[in-house]
Every structure is written in C-alpha cells, then in structure tokens.
C-alpha cells in the first residue's frame, strides 16, 4: 500500500481518481487547491503525488518549483492541456511522469505502478561502480560525489542505476527508456533527455563535458569510460 496525494480542483475528477486508487489498495489523501496541496507536501510524507497544473491560489508549476531538491515523492503531473511542451516543461521541472486528461483508470493505474516500481527497485547485485568522482552503490542505492551523498529522486536513481549496472558499455535510448520507464516508453526521447540533464547537473564536475554519463553518438549513453576489451 502506498500513500498517494491527489492535488486536483475538479471535485468530480478528484473523487473518481480517489476511488480508483483506493480500490487498488492505496491510502489516498486529497487537496482541492494548490495552497492546500503545498501544505500537505510540507507536512506529510507521500510516495506519489498526482498533481494538476491548473489550480486555484498556487498552480502546479509553482508547487513543482518549490519542491526542488527536497522532493522525495514521485510526481505524476495530470493536465488537461496535453501539449508536448507542457510535458517537457513538467519533466524539466522534476516531474516523474505526465498524464494528459482525460485518462482512463487502467492508464492511471499503470502510471502509478510504474512510478512505484522505480521507487521500490529490488537491490541489484551489491557492488559499487565508480566514474570520475561519482560512486554508485547498487546495493544500498547510495550515490556519492566527492564522498558526499547526492540525493536523487526514484526515477533519477533508476536511470543512473540502469547505466551503472552496465558500466563501460553503451545503453541505447530505447533500452534505457523501456528499462526505466516501461515497455510503452521506447520512443519518449524527451524523458531521457531531461533526466540525463538532471543527473548531469547533480553529478558531473562539468555538465558540459560529462565523464560520468557519456553521450555515445546518437545511439545512447554510457556510464564512465568504455570498458576495456579482453
Ligand atoms: Ca484544474
């Protein structure tokens, strides 16, 4: 069971989403405007936040912006606008996923399952992988830069771990998207682009000349220098 917060001002949508999620066994709390949503996030712990963009008092963009690095829950933006540039903006501002209204119960539950799966990844082989000044402990899921722990969102960590598990080898775009986000995401290049950028900002000494997450032509990315062939 996960704790989910719905921040949505449309009462009908709020209650239908609530009952879909409760029927799947989640503990659901709701906020009907942005100010109440921001307050909830400040005071209580949630695993997932379903965040509407068009909200009274404080809109979804402001809530995303105010979360910054302290954001722990996974955020799925739900928006009626459904434009590609809104989706990119939401991802750029730290959302984990984006769901355009109207959406069906199955689609909603699939997204929730996907963000929870990323947040609760079973520990990989307990081993430590290093590139430059960054060390990823795939067992404890701790990420250190120059010996200082870096806080990553579940999706950021999932992407970094997917790369680190194949350190020194190319991971192509499609494989990364399907591994981290799920089978239906193979073509969602925007997700990959924005999350790679976020990871580089947090991890690289010089994000413009990355040595932790290296771009491999137009094909994909690699963690660290290429593995030596034996
Ligand atoms: Ca709204």
């Amino acid at each position: 069971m996960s704790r989910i917060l719905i921040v949505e001002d449309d009462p009908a949508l709020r209650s239908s989403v609530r009952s879909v999620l409760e029927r799947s066994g989640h503990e659901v709390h709701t906020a009907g405007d942005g100010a109440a949503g921001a307050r909830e996030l400040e005071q209580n712990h949630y695993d997932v936040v379903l965040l509407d963009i068009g909200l009274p008092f404080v809109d979804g963009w402001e809530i995303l912006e105010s979360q910054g690095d302290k954001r722990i829950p996974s955020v799925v933006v739900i928006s009626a606008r459904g434009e590609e540039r809104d989706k990119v903006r939401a991802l750029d501002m730290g959302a984990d996923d984006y769901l355009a209204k109207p959406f069906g119960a199955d689609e909603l539950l699939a997204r929730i399952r996907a963000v929870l799966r990323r947040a609760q990844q079973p520990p990989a082989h307990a081993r430590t992988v290093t590139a430059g000044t960054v060390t990823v402990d795939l067992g404890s899921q701790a990420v250190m830069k120059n010996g200082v722990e870096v806080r990553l969102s579940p999706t950021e960590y999932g992407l970094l771990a997917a790369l680190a598990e194949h350190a020194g080898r190319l991971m192509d775009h499609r494989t990364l998207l399907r591994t981290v986000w799920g089978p239906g995401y193979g073509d969602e290049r925007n997700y990959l682009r924005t999350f790679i950028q976020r990871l580089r900002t947090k991890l690289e000494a010089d994000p413009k000349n990355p040595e932790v997450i290296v771009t491999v032509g137009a094909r994909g990315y690699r963690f660290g220098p290429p593995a030596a062939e034996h």
Side-chain angles (χ1 to χ4, degrees), residues 147-221:
V148 178
E149 182 155 13
V150 181
R151 286 173 49 140
L152 300 178
S153 77
T155 308
E156 289 165 357
Y157 178 78
L159 176 56
L160 183 65
L163 287 159
E165 279 167 17
H166 301 86
R169 283 174 289 155
L170 165 72
M171 290 284 279
D172 67 71
H173 297 131
R174 180 167 283 269
T175 304
L176 275 174
L177 282 160
R178 294 170 64 104
T179 304
V180 178
W181 280 272
Y185 287 77
D187 294 319
E188 298 280 358
R189 289 290 179 83
N190 282 327
Y191 282 67
L192 201 49
R193 187 186 58 74
T194 56
F195 275 82
I196 292 283
Q197 200 172 313
R198 279 158 63 174
L199 282 172
R200 281 177 172 162
T201 304
K202 290 188 177 185
L203 300 176
E204 301 284 356
D206 176 6
K208 290 206 162 52
N209 294 294
E211 56 177 10
V212 181
I213 302 175
V214 181
T215 301
V216 184
R219 294 153 68 204
Y221 300 95

Side-chain angles (χ1 to χ4, degrees), residues 8-9 52 54 101:
E8 168 62 64
D9 59 325
D52 184 24
K101 296 177 194 170

Side-chain angles (χ1 to χ4, degrees), residues 79-166:
S79 172
R81 299 164 52 162
E83 291 169 17
E84 192 63 18
R85 65 156 192 250
D86 278 350
K87 182 166 158 180
V88 172
R89 185 175 175 198
L91 295 170
D92 274 339
M93 291 178 74
D96 290 90
D97 207 343
Y98 183 97
L99 190 53
K101 296 177 194 170
F103 48 82
D106 289 346
E107 197 179 4
L108 170 67
L109 290 171
R111 300 296 175 108
I112 299 286
R113 268 197 305 277
V115 289
L116 289 172
R117 180 176 55 77
R118 291 197 291 273
Q120 295 155 2
Q121 299 197 22
H125 280 306
R127 64 187 175 108
T128 303
V129 188
T130 299
T133 58
V134 170
T135 297
V136 182
D137 185 328
L138 292 167
S140 69
Q141 307 195 350
V143 178
M144 313 291 279
K145 177 185 177 183
N146 291 316
V148 178
E149 182 155 13
V150 181
R151 286 173 49 140
L152 300 178
S153 77
T155 308
E156 289 165 357
Y157 178 78
L159 176 56
L160 183 65
L163 287 159
E165 279 167 17
H166 301 86

